[in-house]
Amino acid sequence: MGRQAGLFDIEERLRDLSAKGDDLERINALVDFEAFRPELERAVPRSDRARGGRPPYDHVLMFRLLILQASHSLSDERTEYLVKDRLSFMRFLGLTLADRVPDANSIWNFREALTRATLDGVPAVEALFRRFDAQLRAAGFIAMGGQIVDATVVSAPKQRNTEDEKQALREGRIPEDWARKPAKLAQKDRDARWTVKQGKAKPGPDGAPRLAIAIPVYGYKNHVGIDRRHGLIRTWTATDAARHDGAELPALLDRSNTASGVWADTAYRSAKNEAHLAEAGFVSRIHRRKPKGQAMPQRTARANAAKSEVRSRVEHVFARQKGPMALVVRTIGLARARVKIGLANLVYNMRRMVWLAEVTPA
């Protein structure tokens, strides 16, 4: 029979986890979570408890739970279970085996309050993102070297709508059948959209062109701007998947970057965007398109190849979010999707900061 576990056994197990490499412990060591408290308390006000009742959970504790969710793409129920199950999660949250663990409903209510809140005219999740960006700059990770802009589709559960319903949504109307059934309307995502991703087919062995595959995808888009030097997300926005990438370029430009270069793919090249960049003092490094019906000039092809070496760094952001973080949107509506995507961008920066701190000389 095994012996009864004691306090020192738990401490020894935690030391073993640290020795193996606990990413959450590294984040705890570098990120000042108390710095988020002012925004959290403004965004999610508490009652005065004049009528008594169970005390509410700490704001920073609930925010840490949302960070855990975004790190592992967890549902509220799964988050509650894993916090009770994993010592590393409890240590990250500052909980012991004797402490209460927030249940799924508490997590949902906190996130909903954060979704509805605005602070100084911006969504609360954006204010939290800016708070951490200030931490990054204070730690020496200043935006420099220019910026790289791109977007990716974040999948959401597909909606089985009729053609008439789709047309109504495109026109900004609520389908009549949905309006008569509030329960059905509450389960319908009216903000997510379909779009088509064009695959890139390589030429055949004989050099003959192949047909590119068009892949329909449904959901939202995560538009980001990263700095070239550190690869940290400095600006971001969330839209439906049908939104054109180039339309979001002005909102993604970071005027605090120490260099003026802006790298992006051909989706961002337009006369309007080029004029905006020039007027704002930026230097366009945006890819040029192949002339219609003509071969790509060698000079343009070489310039695009040089730009690709820089621009490709933004793909590491999306690879991390869609790989280990398994980023998807399971909620309904753009407001909730914005919180989901914003937290994922925040978590990426936290993990990136840990890596930069390890590889950057003291």
Side-chain angles (χ1 to χ4, degrees), residues 238-272:
T239 67
D240 62 78
R243 180 73 169 171
H244 191 271
D245 295 356
E248 298 301 311
L249 179 64
L252 295 173
L253 296 175
D254 179 13
R255 297 179 183 274
S256 68
N257 198 293
T258 60
S260 58
V262 178
W263 284 261
D265 61 28
T266 55
Y268 294 87
R269 177 167 285 277
S270 68
K272 183 178 180 180

Short mmCIF file of all heavy atoms in Angstrom, two decimals, residues 238-272:
data_model
loop_
_atom_site.label_atom_id
_atom_site.label_comp_id
_atom_site.label_asym_id
_atom_site.label_seq_id
_atom_site.Cartn_x
_atom_site.Cartn_y
_atom_site.Cartn_z
N ALA A 238 -10.05 42.44 -34.70
CA ALA A 238 -10.81 41.23 -35.06
C ALA A 238 -12.01 41.64 -35.91
O ALA A 238 -12.70 42.61 -35.58
CB ALA A 238 -11.26 40.48 -33.82
N THR A 239 -12.25 40.90 -36.98
CA THR A 239 -13.38 41.16 -37.87
C THR A 239 -13.98 39.82 -38.29
O THR A 239 -13.47 38.76 -37.94
CB THR A 239 -12.94 41.92 -39.12
OG1 THR A 239 -12.10 41.06 -39.93
CG2 THR A 239 -12.18 43.18 -38.78
N ASP A 240 -15.06 39.88 -39.06
CA ASP A 240 -15.57 38.65 -39.66
C ASP A 240 -14.60 38.19 -40.74
O ASP A 240 -13.75 38.96 -41.22
CB ASP A 240 -16.97 38.87 -40.24
CG ASP A 240 -16.98 39.90 -41.36
OD1 ASP A 240 -16.59 39.55 -42.49
OD2 ASP A 240 -17.37 41.06 -41.11
N ALA A 241 -14.71 36.93 -41.14
CA ALA A 241 -13.74 36.34 -42.07
C ALA A 241 -13.80 36.94 -43.46
O ALA A 241 -12.82 36.86 -44.21
CB ALA A 241 -13.96 34.83 -42.15
N ALA A 242 -14.94 37.55 -43.84
CA ALA A 242 -15.08 38.10 -45.18
C ALA A 242 -14.44 39.47 -45.32
O ALA A 242 -14.33 39.98 -46.44
CB ALA A 242 -16.56 38.17 -45.55
N ARG A 243 -14.01 40.06 -44.23
CA ARG A 243 -13.42 41.39 -44.29
C ARG A 243 -12.12 41.34 -45.07
O ARG A 243 -11.26 40.47 -44.86
CB ARG A 243 -13.14 41.89 -42.87
CG ARG A 243 -12.51 43.27 -42.77
CD ARG A 243 -13.49 44.35 -43.11
NE ARG A 243 -12.97 45.66 -42.76
CZ ARG A 243 -13.54 46.80 -43.09
NH1 ARG A 243 -14.68 46.79 -43.78
NH2 ARG A 243 -13.02 47.96 -42.75
N HIS A 244 -11.94 42.30 -46.01
CA HIS A 244 -10.72 42.33 -46.82
C HIS A 244 -9.54 42.76 -45.96
O HIS A 244 -9.61 43.72 -45.19
CB HIS A 244 -10.89 43.29 -47.99
CG HIS A 244 -9.80 43.19 -49.01
ND1 HIS A 244 -8.64 43.93 -48.94
CD2 HIS A 244 -9.67 42.40 -50.11
CE1 HIS A 244 -7.85 43.61 -49.96
NE2 HIS A 244 -8.46 42.69 -50.68
N ASP A 245 -8.43 42.03 -46.10
CA ASP A 245 -7.25 42.30 -45.28
C ASP A 245 -6.77 43.74 -45.43
O ASP A 245 -6.46 44.41 -44.43
CB ASP A 245 -6.11 41.36 -45.66
CG ASP A 245 -6.43 39.90 -45.35
OD1 ASP A 245 -7.50 39.65 -44.76
OD2 ASP A 245 -5.61 39.03 -45.70
N GLY A 246 -6.71 44.21 -46.67
CA GLY A 246 -6.16 45.55 -46.92
C GLY A 246 -6.93 46.66 -46.26
O GLY A 246 -6.36 47.72 -45.95
N ALA A 247 -8.23 46.45 -46.01
CA ALA A 247 -9.04 47.51 -45.40
C ALA A 247 -8.63 47.80 -43.96
O ALA A 247 -8.93 48.87 -43.43
CB ALA A 247 -10.52 47.11 -45.45
N GLU A 248 -7.94 46.85 -43.31
CA GLU A 248 -7.56 47.02 -41.92
C GLU A 248 -6.16 47.58 -41.74
O GLU A 248 -5.72 47.79 -40.59
CB GLU A 248 -7.66 45.68 -41.18
CG GLU A 248 -9.05 45.09 -41.14
CD GLU A 248 -10.05 46.01 -40.47
OE1 GLU A 248 -9.73 46.51 -39.36
OE2 GLU A 248 -11.12 46.25 -41.04
N LEU A 249 -5.44 47.85 -42.83
CA LEU A 249 -4.05 48.31 -42.70
C LEU A 249 -3.92 49.59 -41.87
O LEU A 249 -3.08 49.64 -40.95
CB LEU A 249 -3.43 48.50 -44.08
CG LEU A 249 -1.98 49.01 -44.07
CD1 LEU A 249 -1.06 47.98 -43.43
CD2 LEU A 249 -1.50 49.34 -45.48
N PRO A 250 -4.70 50.64 -42.12
CA PRO A 250 -4.52 51.86 -41.31
C PRO A 250 -4.67 51.63 -39.81
O PRO A 250 -3.96 52.25 -39.01
CB PRO A 250 -5.62 52.79 -41.86
CG PRO A 250 -5.86 52.32 -43.25
CD PRO A 250 -5.71 50.83 -43.18
N ALA A 251 -5.58 50.75 -39.42
CA ALA A 251 -5.82 50.50 -37.99
C ALA A 251 -4.69 49.71 -37.35
O ALA A 251 -4.58 49.68 -36.12
CB ALA A 251 -7.14 49.76 -37.81
N LEU A 252 -3.85 49.05 -38.14
CA LEU A 252 -2.79 48.19 -37.60
C LEU A 252 -1.43 48.86 -37.54
O LEU A 252 -0.49 48.28 -36.99
CB LEU A 252 -2.68 46.92 -38.45
CG LEU A 252 -3.90 45.99 -38.42
CD1 LEU A 252 -3.73 44.86 -39.44
CD2 LEU A 252 -4.11 45.41 -37.03
N LEU A 253 -1.30 50.04 -38.08
CA LEU A 253 0.00 50.71 -38.11
C LEU A 253 0.40 51.20 -36.72
O LEU A 253 -0.39 51.83 -36.02
CB LEU A 253 -0.03 51.87 -39.11
CG LEU A 253 -0.25 51.47 -40.57
CD1 LEU A 253 -0.39 52.71 -41.43
CD2 LEU A 253 0.89 50.60 -41.07
N ASP A 254 1.61 50.90 -36.34
CA ASP A 254 2.14 51.28 -35.03
C ASP A 254 3.09 52.46 -35.21
O ASP A 254 4.21 52.31 -35.68
CB ASP A 254 2.87 50.09 -34.40
CG ASP A 254 3.46 50.42 -33.04
OD1 ASP A 254 3.09 51.48 -32.49
OD2 ASP A 254 4.28 49.63 -32.53
N ARG A 255 2.63 53.63 -34.81
CA ARG A 255 3.43 54.85 -35.01
C ARG A 255 4.59 54.95 -34.02
O ARG A 255 5.46 55.81 -34.17
CB ARG A 255 2.53 56.08 -34.91
CG ARG A 255 1.46 56.12 -35.99
CD ARG A 255 0.56 57.34 -35.86
NE ARG A 255 -0.49 57.32 -36.86
CZ ARG A 255 -0.38 57.77 -38.10
NH1 ARG A 255 0.78 58.28 -38.49
NH2 ARG A 255 -1.38 57.72 -38.94
N SER A 256 4.59 54.09 -33.00
CA SER A 256 5.68 54.13 -32.02
C SER A 256 6.89 53.31 -32.44
O SER A 256 7.92 53.34 -31.76
CB SER A 256 5.18 53.63 -30.66
OG SER A 256 4.87 52.25 -30.72
N ASN A 257 6.78 52.56 -33.54
CA ASN A 257 7.91 51.76 -33.99
C ASN A 257 9.05 52.67 -34.41
O ASN A 257 8.84 53.71 -35.03
CB ASN A 257 7.48 50.89 -35.18
CG ASN A 257 8.43 49.74 -35.42
OD1 ASN A 257 9.58 49.94 -35.81
ND2 ASN A 257 7.96 48.53 -35.20
N THR A 258 10.27 52.27 -34.06
CA THR A 258 11.43 53.13 -34.31
C THR A 258 11.84 53.19 -35.78
O THR A 258 12.65 54.04 -36.15
CB THR A 258 12.64 52.65 -33.49
OG1 THR A 258 12.97 51.31 -33.87
CG2 THR A 258 12.32 52.68 -32.00
N ALA A 259 11.32 52.30 -36.61
CA ALA A 259 11.63 52.31 -38.04
C ALA A 259 10.34 52.48 -38.84
O ALA A 259 9.24 52.25 -38.34
CB ALA A 259 12.34 51.02 -38.45
N SER A 260 10.47 52.88 -40.10
CA SER A 260 9.30 53.26 -40.89
C SER A 260 8.82 52.19 -41.86
O SER A 260 7.77 52.34 -42.48
CB SER A 260 9.60 54.54 -41.67
OG SER A 260 10.73 54.35 -42.51
N GLY A 261 9.56 51.11 -42.02
CA GLY A 261 9.19 50.09 -43.00
C GLY A 261 7.95 49.31 -42.60
O GLY A 261 7.75 48.97 -41.43
N VAL A 262 7.10 49.02 -43.60
CA VAL A 262 5.88 48.23 -43.39
C VAL A 262 5.86 47.11 -44.42
O VAL A 262 5.82 47.37 -45.62
CB VAL A 262 4.61 49.09 -43.53
CG1 VAL A 262 3.36 48.23 -43.37
CG2 VAL A 262 4.61 50.22 -42.51
N TRP A 263 5.91 45.85 -43.93
CA TRP A 263 5.90 44.68 -44.80
C TRP A 263 4.51 44.04 -44.78
O TRP A 263 3.89 43.91 -43.73
CB TRP A 263 6.92 43.66 -44.35
CG TRP A 263 8.34 43.99 -44.68
CD1 TRP A 263 9.07 43.51 -45.73
CD2 TRP A 263 9.22 44.86 -43.96
NE1 TRP A 263 10.34 44.03 -45.72
CE2 TRP A 263 10.46 44.88 -44.64
CE3 TRP A 263 9.07 45.65 -42.81
CZ2 TRP A 263 11.55 45.63 -44.21
CZ3 TRP A 263 10.15 46.42 -42.38
CH2 TRP A 263 11.37 46.39 -43.08
N ALA A 264 4.04 43.61 -45.95
CA ALA A 264 2.74 42.94 -46.05
C ALA A 264 2.66 42.26 -47.42
O ALA A 264 3.44 42.56 -48.33
CB ALA A 264 1.59 43.92 -45.88
N ASP A 265 1.70 41.33 -47.57
CA ASP A 265 1.55 40.64 -48.85
C ASP A 265 0.70 41.49 -49.80
O ASP A 265 0.27 42.60 -49.48
CB ASP A 265 0.98 39.24 -48.67
CG ASP A 265 -0.40 39.24 -48.04
OD1 ASP A 265 -1.14 40.22 -48.20
OD2 ASP A 265 -0.74 38.24 -47.37
N THR A 266 0.43 40.94 -50.99
CA THR A 266 -0.23 41.72 -52.04
C THR A 266 -1.65 42.13 -51.69
O THR A 266 -2.19 43.07 -52.28
CB THR A 266 -0.26 40.92 -53.36
OG1 THR A 266 -0.89 39.65 -53.13
CG2 THR A 266 1.14 40.70 -53.89
N ALA A 267 -2.29 41.45 -50.73
CA ALA A 267 -3.66 41.81 -50.35
C ALA A 267 -3.72 43.23 -49.80
O ALA A 267 -4.80 43.85 -49.80
CB ALA A 267 -4.20 40.82 -49.33
N TYR A 268 -2.60 43.75 -49.32
CA TYR A 268 -2.58 45.07 -48.71
C TYR A 268 -2.18 46.17 -49.69
O TYR A 268 -2.21 47.35 -49.32
CB TYR A 268 -1.63 45.08 -47.51
CG TYR A 268 -2.10 44.21 -46.37
CD1 TYR A 268 -1.77 42.85 -46.33
CD2 TYR A 268 -2.88 44.71 -45.35
CE1 TYR A 268 -2.21 42.03 -45.30
CE2 TYR A 268 -3.32 43.91 -44.31
CZ TYR A 268 -2.99 42.58 -44.30
OH TYR A 268 -3.44 41.77 -43.28
N ARG A 269 -1.80 45.80 -50.92
CA ARG A 269 -1.36 46.83 -51.87
C ARG A 269 -2.57 47.42 -52.59
O ARG A 269 -3.32 46.72 -53.26
CB ARG A 269 -0.37 46.26 -52.89
CG ARG A 269 0.05 47.28 -53.94
CD ARG A 269 1.24 46.80 -54.74
NE ARG A 269 2.50 46.90 -53.98
CZ ARG A 269 3.22 48.01 -53.85
NH1 ARG A 269 2.79 49.13 -54.40
NH2 ARG A 269 4.33 48.01 -53.17
N SER A 270 -2.75 48.69 -52.43
CA SER A 270 -3.77 49.46 -53.14
C SER A 270 -3.30 50.90 -53.20
O SER A 270 -2.46 51.33 -52.39
CB SER A 270 -5.13 49.36 -52.44
OG SER A 270 -5.10 50.03 -51.18
N ALA A 271 -3.87 51.65 -54.12
CA ALA A 271 -3.49 53.06 -54.23
C ALA A 271 -3.83 53.81 -52.95
O ALA A 271 -3.07 54.68 -52.49
CB ALA A 271 -4.21 53.69 -55.43
N LYS A 272 -4.95 53.46 -52.33
CA LYS A 272 -5.37 54.12 -51.10
C LYS A 272 -4.40 53.84 -49.95
O LYS A 272 -4.00 54.75 -49.22
CB LYS A 272 -6.78 53.66 -50.72
CG LYS A 272 -7.33 54.34 -49.49
CD LYS A 272 -8.76 53.87 -49.21
CE LYS A 272 -9.33 54.54 -47.96
NZ LYS A 272 -10.73 54.09 -47.68
#
